[in-house]
Amino acid sequence: MFHRSLLVFPDDTVKPVIDAINEAKETLHIKMFLFSDPELIDAVIAAKERGVKVKVMLNPARRNGEDDNAETRAKLEAAGIKVHDSNPSFVITHEKSMIVDEKLAFVKSLNWETRNLTETRDYAIITSNPHEVKEILLCFEADWHREDFDPGDESRLIWCSLNGRAKIAHFIDQAQHTLFIQNERFQDLVIIERIVRAAMRGVKVHVMAAPPHTLKIDKLVEGVGGLRIMNDVGIKIHKLKHLKLHGKMLLADGCRAIIGSINLAPGSFDHRRELAIEVHDEDIIERLQKIAHHDWENSHTLDLSDEGLHDDLEQRGAGGSDKLVLDEHKHKHKHHKG
């Protein structure tokens, strides 16, 4: 009988991940966007030293020349571990996964960076479902050997750039009563439309997003536009108080959820390798309900007014308020009165 379980960060710490690596007997397959945490590096090297066959796939240097994984790559290769760049067919491989002994798989929103383990709201699903494990392994091997991967209509998982947009849109369309979404980015018009339609048909929608100043300048217009469209139809939009939001989680009707690496943005759906999983397990959903309630209680309303956006962008040094065509007169008037 297979089993799924949930990890919530930073609450659960890195220990369950380290334990799984330490328990590996035959193989480890790791695909990671960013990998720099020293404890995880040491655990992977220790696995290699005790005879585990380890393959690691890392996102390569970006177009601007920055290579966040260069130091880790050097350490792993020095330990005799096979390290490949992720599949060049994708602009970025944003997937975060690990397969242990071809029997257990981790589907994660978090990078293997210390800050994602200790400072951000993040999630991971652990599954021993043989169909799900096999699908993740087949994709790993396809990307490793630069081959096409298509799980077909019977796919158990959510992949970009394959079925991601369609499966998430369908998930939202099926919501009947409640929909809670945590995601850094709300930029994809198809998904925003589906969220708005859910609210218009009476679904109680709660959205948690990253504040605008965390968006890249070239994504600011669509990012803020998406948030404002949802806000205008009465959807409540909040930001976390004490943690940074990095997790990507959808929870519908208190009975089903999606967790993975997918930002709700066109780039993620169309040009990146991403992975997420839909779950219905009662114990996982129960805990996600508690986390959603806790995070909502420990959050602020995101001020999407012209004044609020100007202050968020300019006072934090991010800039870009001019791109949003904000009403500067209102802002100056408010400042003068103060």
Side-chain angles (χ1 to χ4, degrees):
M1 186 68 181
F2 72 84
H3 178 70
R4 296 189 194 94
S5 57
L6 170 71
L7 298 179
V8 180
F9 294 88
D11 308 41
D12 292 336
T13 77
V14 73
K15 186 178 184 301
V17 183
I18 296 290
D19 288 347
I21 296 170
N22 289 343
E23 290 166 10
K25 294 177 174 60
E26 297 176 2
T27 59
L28 278 176
H29 294 79
I30 298 163
K31 192 189 293 185
M32 196 59 54
F33 176 57
L34 298 173
F35 184 4
S36 60
D37 181 74
E39 194 173 359
L40 284 163
I41 293 171
D42 289 346
V44 172
I45 291 174
K48 165 67 178 176
E49 290 174 345
R50 66 174 183 270
V52 176
K53 294 180 180 178
V54 181
K55 290 182 176 179
V56 177
M57 206 178 315
L58 298 176
N59 196 67
R62 306 189 196 187
R63 289 173 179 170
N64 62 6
E66 290 182 16
D67 189 348
D68 299 306
N69 294 314
E71 187 175 339
T72 298
R73 185 190 313 270
K75 289 179 181 178
L76 296 177
E77 289 178 338
I81 293 172
K82 293 181 180 179
V83 183
H84 277 195
D85 285 345
S86 50
N87 192 335
S89 297
F90 300 93
V91 174
I92 285 174
T93 289
H94 198 239
E95 175 186 346
K96 305 101 165 45
S97 65
M98 177 173 72
I99 311 157
V100 181
D101 292 335
E102 301 187 12
K103 296 177 181 178
L104 193 71
F106 287 63
V107 178
K108 298 167 283 189
S109 67
L110 67 146
N111 294 298
W112 278 4
E113 289 191 298
T114 305
R115 63 179 177 178
N116 280 164
L117 299 163
T118 59
E119 300 175 13
T120 64
R121 172 62 75 221
D122 263 301
Y123 302 95
I125 293 291
I126 309 171
T127 178
S128 65
N129 182 307
H131 298 287
E132 294 166 353
V133 174
K134 182 180 179 181
E135 198 170 306
I136 298 168
L137 182 60
L138 285 173
C139 182
F140 185 99
E141 292 296 345
D143 284 347
W144 186 267
H145 295 289
R146 309 308 196 229
E147 297 170 350
D148 290 338
F149 167 74
D150 186 353
D153 294 337
E154 301 303 313
S155 172
R156 304 294 184 105
L157 301 167
I158 303 170
W159 295 99
C160 296
S161 57
L162 297 168
N163 58 20
R165 182 184 281 111
K167 286 210 168 191
I168 291 178
H170 186 60
F171 179 94
I172 295 169
D173 289 346
Q174 289 181 314
Q176 298 178 12
H177 306 292
T178 60
L179 183 62
F180 181 89
I181 307 176
Q182 286 185 332
N183 205 285
E184 286 179 282
R185 302 179 190 174
F186 292 81
Q187 298 167 349
D188 188 78
L189 289 178
V190 171
I191 300 303
I192 292 166
E193 175 202 350
R194 290 320 217 285
I195 296 170
V196 168
R197 285 174 178 255
M200 298 297 285
R201 67 174 180 269
V203 177
K204 189 175 182 180
V205 181
H206 291 75
V207 164
M208 300 198 76
H213 74 264
T214 64
L215 296 171
K216 293 181 179 178
I217 291 291
D218 61 343
K219 301 296 182 183
L220 191 60
V221 172
E222 58 188 358
V224 171
L227 294 175
R228 280 185 136 181
I229 288 169
M230 293 188 291
N231 187 63
D232 284 348
V233 298
I235 294 172
K236 296 179 178 179
I237 302 176
H238 281 202
K239 60 179 179 179
L240 277 169
K241 282 184 186 177
H242 306 300
L243 288 173
K244 295 178 181 178
L245 177 62
H246 184 260
K248 300 90 171 68
M249 188 267 281
L250 296 90
L251 175 64
D253 298 327
C255 65
R256 55 200 178 90
I258 289 176
I259 284 172
S261 67
I262 305 171
N263 285 309
L264 303 179
S268 295
F269 289 122
D270 298 325
H271 305 296
R272 295 184 175 193
R273 171 68 84 207
E274 305 269 13
L275 171 62
I277 184 171
E278 181 173 340
V279 295
H280 302 250
D281 310 67
E282 188 175 333
D283 56 336
I284 292 176
I285 299 301
E286 182 179 351
R287 188 172 183 205
L288 285 175
Q289 287 272 77
K290 291 178 180 177
I291 292 294
H293 178 75
H294 173 273
D295 284 356
W296 196 258
E297 290 296 313
N298 290 277
S299 64
H300 295 292
T301 299
L302 194 56
D303 187 352
L304 295 170
S305 68
D306 281 14
E307 296 92 337
L309 287 168
H310 186 281
D311 289 347
D312 178 73
L313 293 169
E314 302 303 331
Q315 290 185 9
R316 293 176 181 269
S321 61
D322 56 314
K323 291 182 176 292
L324 299 177
V325 198
L326 301 176
D327 190 331
E328 289 296 311
H329 175 74
K330 280 200 300 183
H331 174 75
K332 290 176 181 176
H333 180 64
K334 177 184 175 184
H335 181 75
H336 179 73
K337 285 175 66 179

